[in-house]
Amino acid sequence: TFLTLEGIAGRVDPDFNIYEMAMPWAIRRSLSPSTLEGISTLRSTILTKDDRIQWPRLLEFVETAMAENEKEEVASSIDKQPIKTDAVVDEAPKEKSAESAKSGAMNDAVVTLLGSPEGTVLRRMIRDLDSIDLVSRLLSKDAKPLRKQAVMALSVEDMKRRDRCSSSTIEVETSATTTDRPMSDECAKLREKQLKWTRKITTMIVKEHLMKQLKAGPKAW
């Protein structure tokens, strides 16, 4: 059970939360249904009957996510103690390790789904999506919160990338190596293969949508 697994992991990391680590795999499972009823439910949740995005649901999801992020920021600001001690410094590597583990789990579970056999349903939905309608909605006034959230996410990722590039000292490199998740050679090869397929499938889907827009002509634009 989850409690047993969390208890085992708690011996190594008392702050380990198995529900947070399992969330990406739960998302992957929900995006890869295996029954006709599940496929129909997923498709109707994301797309309309004429293959347009369920815009009101998407906006509702973004607004909910933004509200949750604001609550987390307020809670974290309250929990922070303005005390400069060695304990605070020691917590930094642990926080980076936890964030790295969450990012790795999300990448393994969700990002690689598009190029995996289980991602057939998701690939068909992306192929059938009316991308012209989606672009027009993204440029509308109603999409301002969504664009803001996207810009914030991109800025955060850029800051993380810059932070990793600036960490060039031996001490930082050593700590980064020790906080990475252990991975066998076979697992590393499988992961690289999955990412390669994901990039290939993504390129094919983008080309297909571009061809669809060109065939639709200026009227669709």
Side-chain angles (χ1 to χ4, degrees):
T1 62
F2 271 11
L3 291 178
T4 303
L5 294 174
E6 191 170 30
I8 296 173
R11 293 177 178 270
V12 180
D13 183 4
D15 297 327
F16 180 82
N17 189 328
I18 194 171
Y19 296 99
E20 290 183 355
M21 293 301 297
M23 181 59 69
W25 300 99
I27 296 175
R28 180 189 177 99
R29 185 65 186 88
S30 65
L31 292 175
S32 55
S34 56
T35 64
L36 294 177
E37 183 180 0
I39 294 173
S40 177
T41 301
L42 176 62
R43 191 178 182 91
S44 62
T45 301
I46 300 178
L47 300 179
T48 62
K49 292 182 178 180
D50 54 352
D51 295 330
R52 297 187 178 188
I53 194 73
Q54 291 278 12
W55 188 248
R57 291 179 180 175
L58 180 59
L59 291 181
E60 183 180 358
F61 173 78
V62 172
E63 291 175 358
T64 303
M66 293 178 64
E68 290 295 330
N69 289 337
E70 291 178 358
K71 290 181 180 179
E72 291 180 1
E73 291 177 359
V74 172
S76 61
S77 63
I78 294 176
D79 293 338
K80 287 182 180 179
Q81 297 293 334
I83 302 176
K84 296 182 179 180
T85 61
D86 295 337
V88 176
V89 178
D90 294 339
E91 288 296 324
K94 293 182 179 179
E95 293 181 358
K96 289 184 178 180
S97 177
E99 290 298 326
S100 176
K102 291 178 183 178
S103 177
M106 181 63 72
N107 181 75
D108 291 342
V110 179
V111 177
T112 58
L113 175 62
L114 198 60
S116 68
E118 296 84 3
T120 303
V121 178
L122 184 61
R123 290 194 296 271
R124 287 178 179 174
M125 289 174 52
I126 296 176
R127 181 198 63 189
D128 298 338
L129 172 66
D130 188 342
S131 55
I132 298 176
D133 175 73
L134 177 60
V135 171
S136 64
R137 290 183 180 274
L138 289 174
L139 296 176
S140 65
K141 184 178 180 181
D142 295 336
K144 185 177 180 179
L146 184 60
R147 293 195 298 269
K148 179 180 178 181
Q149 191 75 1
V151 170
M152 291 176 62
L154 290 174
S155 63
V156 170
E157 289 299 322
D158 183 65
M159 290 177 63
K160 291 181 180 179
R161 182 183 61 82
R162 291 175 181 271
D163 184 58
R164 288 194 297 267
C165 292
S166 63
S167 302
S168 57
T169 61
I170 298 177
E171 182 178 356
V172 174
E173 289 178 355
T174 303
S175 63
T177 303
T178 56
T179 56
D180 286 344
R181 296 185 303 157
M183 183 180 298
S184 65
D185 294 338
E186 292 78 6
C187 184
K189 291 179 181 179
L190 178 60
R191 184 178 184 182
E192 180 61 28
K193 185 177 180 181
Q194 290 175 332
L195 292 175
K196 183 179 179 179
W197 270 107
T198 300
R199 290 191 292 267
K200 184 176 181 179
I201 293 298
T202 302
T203 302
M204 291 175 60
I205 292 176
V206 171
K207 288 182 178 179
E208 185 174 351
H209 275 285
L210 289 176
M211 291 300 297
K212 184 188 296 185
Q213 290 183 2
L214 292 175
K215 289 181 179 179
K219 291 182 179 180
W221 306 343

